[in-house]
Amino acid sequence: MNRDEIQNLATLAAITLSDSHLEQFAQEFADILAYVRSLENYSGQDIPQVDISENRTYQLRADTAQSVFEEDVADAILKQAPRSENRYIQVQAVLTK
Amino acid sequence: MPTIAELHEGYTQKTLRPSEVVEKTISQIDSQDETVQAFLSVFEDDMRAHAKDLDTKQDRNEPFGLLEGIPVSVKDAILVKDKPTTAGSQILSSYTAVYDATVIHNLKQAGALIVGKTNLDEFAMGSSTENSAFQETRNPADTSRVPGGSSGGSAASVAADMCPASLGSDTGGSIRQPAAFCGVTGLKPTYGRVSRSGLVAMASSLDQIGPLTHTSLDAAYVLQGIEGADTLDATSTSLSSRQELNIDEIQNGDIAGLRIGIPQEYFGDGLSSEVQAALESVIESFGEMNTVIKDISLSTTEYAIPAYYVLMPAEVSSNLARYDGIRYGQSRFEEASSLQEIYTKSRASGFGEEVKRRIMLGTYVLSGGYYDAYYAQARHMQTHVRKDFTNAFKDVDVILTPTTPHTAFQAGSKADPLSMYLEDIFTVAVNLSGNPALSIPANPNDSTLPIGFQLIGNHFDEQTLLTLGHVWDRYIRQ
């Protein structure tokens, strides 16, 4: 893997990487990916893929707005936001005039 | 520190008082944790207030539940309402949990004392607890060594007698490997047995919460307290009567005729001589207890780690997309000139190196052109691993392996990521297959470093693992 590929991945993952990390990750990713490619060596019988979730019953609840907690946690959640205003979480402007 | 069973007995017989146990817990943390560094936070005031109520209850001769007044520490990836939850990451350094995880809700209902939050590798990614943004936890058996990870703080808190039980989480071995390194018991329950609501998600198809304790019996008590169906985690399941734990039968310890499988693939090159010797002695002892020891083969063993290091990062890249500097946690809002820059700068400064590495690896294996070569192939391997176990359990009731290839390593000795990944070589397969697995101290009486052996069970058959574990505890401690 080269620096440009790593930079592209960083962009896709929404992470800014320093130059030294670009170099370092390029080398490490090459090693790690070479290792995981050992999966190709498996000589076992080819079997149809079975989903791990097969035969499993899931806990489902109605798709309706409700408080699943004993109390209303909206204020506590808003308090965790780095920026909020009038009970809205604030972000940078997305559209400009 | 007594076991849960002994504390309960003491409360019932009035030979122990909850407030005294709390003071002992706090003083043990004060004396031990400066060197061990297991705790990120300790809830002294809450414990003291709770203990006062329990003292009153004891004075009134009211009965105590099994977990009532039992100090339990909690890995800092599990939410405790109104307490900081960092997941060992800078990006959550300012986060306060707004609700209780289901397991915490259950423990509180049962009257357990929540001691505090324990250190971990950042977002549970690591095998040494050196990879926390806040501190490095050390192994109480030898403080120049790591406690294992990622639930290293949890394992160390129990091993250093700071509390009799802790909750950890296990995605690829993060309960069992530190349990083995620290000389405590650690259980990864069957996928679906315990709700993960309120666990900071790493790889959701693999994550399970489980107990770390001194004994298998104590692990059974904690599991009973936290397990069960929960509408807040769709993968959690209700237990059939056959799957429910029967504590009396665990204590009876009837293991005669039990078929124990020994997979040859776990005893090859790379296993240290001390672990090999300890395991041989364990197998010999079980053989003398009227069990049937059978050699078996799990041919997918060497492929479990490569498959895991595709599937896990893929899920990590998705799960950790939520840390964006907008809704909670550390933010670089001030320095950003666009919405995208809030994300990239917050994530760059908030995440540590290993977290970035895994998010990007996951992004890679899921990206167009590489999906089939990596992700699809790894999913296919997961099916093979699962089938391997299904076939094995046609012939045996339980599988016995080492938990780790060697004892705890020196802090700072594993610099490259791949060598750290290989630490989980004996533990990841059951995360891929969903089976339960229990790590048990093999040599608790020796002055040498702790060694763990692992019992793997059929889906939802924790009963057999804990029964065998209890028999071993009794045998080795008599």
Side-chain angles (χ1 to χ4, degrees):
Chain A
M1 290 200 94
N2 60 39
R3 271 179 65 112
D4 290 347
E5 286 177 284
I6 296 291
Q7 180 55 61
N8 183 40
L9 279 180
T11 307
L12 288 171
I15 294 171
T16 314
L17 275 192
S18 66
D19 277 355
S20 62
H21 267 127
L22 288 175
E23 295 288 345
Q24 182 193 330
F25 279 15
Q27 182 54 54
E28 288 170 353
F29 278 36
D31 293 344
I32 295 166
L33 292 170
Y35 174 69
V36 303
R37 273 198 301 273
S38 68
L39 285 174
E40 292 164 8
N41 302 336
Y42 183 65
S43 57
Q45 228 183 343
D46 198 32
I47 52 170
Q49 186 180 315
V50 179
D51 205 315
I52 197 155
S53 58
E54 202 177 71
N55 301 327
R56 184 174 279 282
T57 45
Y58 287 100
Q59 298 291 322
L60 300 174
R61 58 179 188 272
D63 186 19
T64 51
Q66 55 171 316
S67 178
V68 294
F69 303 109
E70 284 153 9
E71 57 194 280
D72 188 7
V73 294
D75 286 325
I77 290 170
L78 276 167
K79 223 193 267 178
Q80 294 301 317
R83 292 266 196 117
S84 64
E85 197 180 302
N86 301 329
R87 289 178 65 81
Y88 286 99
I89 292 171
Q90 207 181 346
V91 297
Q92 292 273 15
V94 180
L95 301 171
T96 48
K97 280 181 189 167
Chain B
M1 171 75 64
T3 62
I4 294 176
E6 289 162 351
L7 282 173
H8 178 69
E9 177 77 8
Y11 290 152
T12 305
Q13 301 297 325
K14 291 195 172 185
T15 53
L16 282 172
R17 206 159 167 73
S19 57
E20 286 167 13
V21 170
V22 163
E23 291 313 318
K24 224 179 137 188
T25 301
I26 293 169
S27 73
Q28 183 71 358
I29 293 171
D30 284 345
S31 70
Q32 296 297 307
D33 211 35
E34 208 168 318
T35 41
V36 175
Q37 299 275 303
F39 282 93
L40 290 171
S41 51
V42 179
F43 311 145
E44 297 181 14
D45 294 345
D46 300 270
M47 275 198 290
R48 286 188 169 121
H50 188 168
K52 225 173 129 185
D53 294 341
L54 291 171
D55 283 354
T56 310
K57 191 170 176 172
Q58 196 180 38
D59 290 339
R60 290 182 185 148
N61 294 318
E62 289 172 33
F64 270 57
L66 260 172
L67 294 179
E68 204 152 21
I70 305 299
V72 181
S73 67
V74 178
K75 186 181 190 177
D76 202 22
I78 298 172
L79 306 190
V80 176
K81 189 171 188 282
D82 297 332
K83 303 295 182 193
T85 297
T86 67
S89 181
Q90 232 12 290
I91 208 161
L92 285 177
S93 56
S94 61
Y95 179 71
T96 301
V98 300
Y99 63 96
D100 276 329
T102 296
V103 290
I104 299 300
H105 173 83
N106 293 350
L107 282 183
K108 284 181 175 176
Q109 290 285 96
L113 297 154
I114 308 298
V115 179
K117 306 299 285 292
T118 54
N119 196 28
L120 66 157
D121 290 298
E122 185 177 1
F123 285 107
M125 299 178 196
S127 304
S128 68
T129 317
E130 295 167 294
N131 189 29
S132 156
F134 307 106
Q135 63 198 38
E136 285 182 21
T137 302
R138 292 300 174 88
N139 193 320
D142 174 351
T143 53
S144 71
R145 292 173 191 272
V146 302
S150 66
S151 311
S154 287
S157 73
V158 176
D161 267 336
M162 297 189 263
C163 49
S166 186
L167 291 186
S169 65
D170 191 315
T171 306
S174 281
I175 288 174
R176 292 160 286 152
Q177 186 254 18
F181 276 11
C182 290
V184 301
T185 301
L187 173 69
K188 182 205 88 77
T190 308
Y191 186 76
R193 187 159 189 135
V194 178
S195 165
R196 291 91 42 85
S197 173
L199 169 68
V200 175
M202 178 182 168
S204 306
S205 78
L206 310 169
D207 298 339
Q208 262 299 282
I209 294 173
L212 294 103
T213 53
H214 283 298
T215 66
S216 288
L217 191 57
D218 278 5
Y221 290 142
V222 178
L223 179 63
Q224 245 186 355
I226 60 173
E227 69 188 0
D230 175 20
T231 51
L232 299 180
D233 178 356
T235 65
S236 66
T237 50
S238 45
L239 301 169
S240 69
S241 56
R242 202 172 49 85
Q243 295 167 338
E244 274 174 23
L245 291 184
N246 183 327
I247 300 280
D248 287 342
E249 280 186 15
I250 290 174
Q251 285 178 303
N252 285 344
D254 181 11
I255 59 165
L258 202 74
R259 298 165 303 168
I260 302 176
I262 312 294
Q264 56 183 23
E265 290 83 358
Y266 284 72
F267 291 85
D269 295 341
L271 188 65
S272 75
S273 56
E274 50 193 344
V275 175
Q276 169 104 34
L279 264 286
E280 279 168 7
S281 152
V282 169
I283 294 166
E284 196 186 314
S285 305
F286 277 129
E288 288 165 6
M289 296 178 203
N290 275 332
T291 63
V292 181
I293 306 290
K294 291 181 93 164
D295 285 331
I296 62 165
S297 173
L298 292 168
S299 64
T300 56
T301 300
E302 67 175 296
Y303 299 103
I305 292 243
Y308 176 77
Y309 272 93
V310 173
L311 300 175
M312 175 273 295
E315 294 188 34
V316 161
S317 73
S318 167
N319 266 331
L320 272 67
R322 72 190 68 185
Y323 303 101
D324 56 7
I326 303 285
R327 291 162 300 162
Y328 46 81
Q330 197 187 79
S331 179
R332 286 281 179 266
F333 200 110
E334 320 293 331
E335 302 154 28
S337 56
S338 67
L339 184 61
Q340 186 66 20
E341 259 191 34
I342 302 179
Y343 304 158
T344 56
K345 289 191 171 173
S346 300
R347 289 160 68 81
S349 66
F351 289 145
E353 193 175 294
E354 182 59 24
V355 175
K356 291 175 187 168
R357 194 179 281 121
R358 293 198 194 184
I359 291 173
M360 288 170 55
L361 264 176
T363 306
Y364 179 80
V365 299
L366 290 176
S367 58
Y370 299 109
Y371 179 90
D372 285 336
Y374 292 100
Y375 189 76
Q377 193 163 26
R379 287 281 285 156
H380 208 84
M381 181 54 68
Q382 185 174 21
T383 305
H384 283 290
V385 171
R386 203 176 156 80
K387 196 158 186 251
D388 228 5
F389 280 110
T390 308
N391 287 339
F393 283 115
K394 286 175 187 162
D395 295 326
V396 298
D397 303 302
V398 64
I399 294 169
L400 192 155
T401 77
T403 308
T404 59
H406 48 73
T407 54
F409 51 88
Q410 289 285 334
S413 67
K414 286 200 190 291
D416 79 296
L418 200 51
S419 74
M420 194 67 93
Y421 297 171
L422 292 170
E423 279 301 302
D424 290 333
I425 192 147
F426 297 151
T427 51
V428 293
V430 300
N431 295 86
L432 296 180
S433 67
N435 292 71
L438 176 70
S439 179
I440 300 167
N443 60 342
N445 304 325
D446 297 356
S447 56
T448 51
L449 288 169
I451 291 168
F453 69 92
Q454 174 174 246
L455 297 176
I456 301 170
N458 221 331
H459 286 253
F460 293 99
D461 189 16
E462 279 80 353
Q463 177 76 22
T464 300
L465 304 186
L466 294 164
T467 304
L468 210 49
H470 178 64
V471 168
W472 175 259
D473 287 341
R474 253 189 342 209
Y475 166 79
I476 199 78
R477 288 179 168 92
Q478 75 193 351

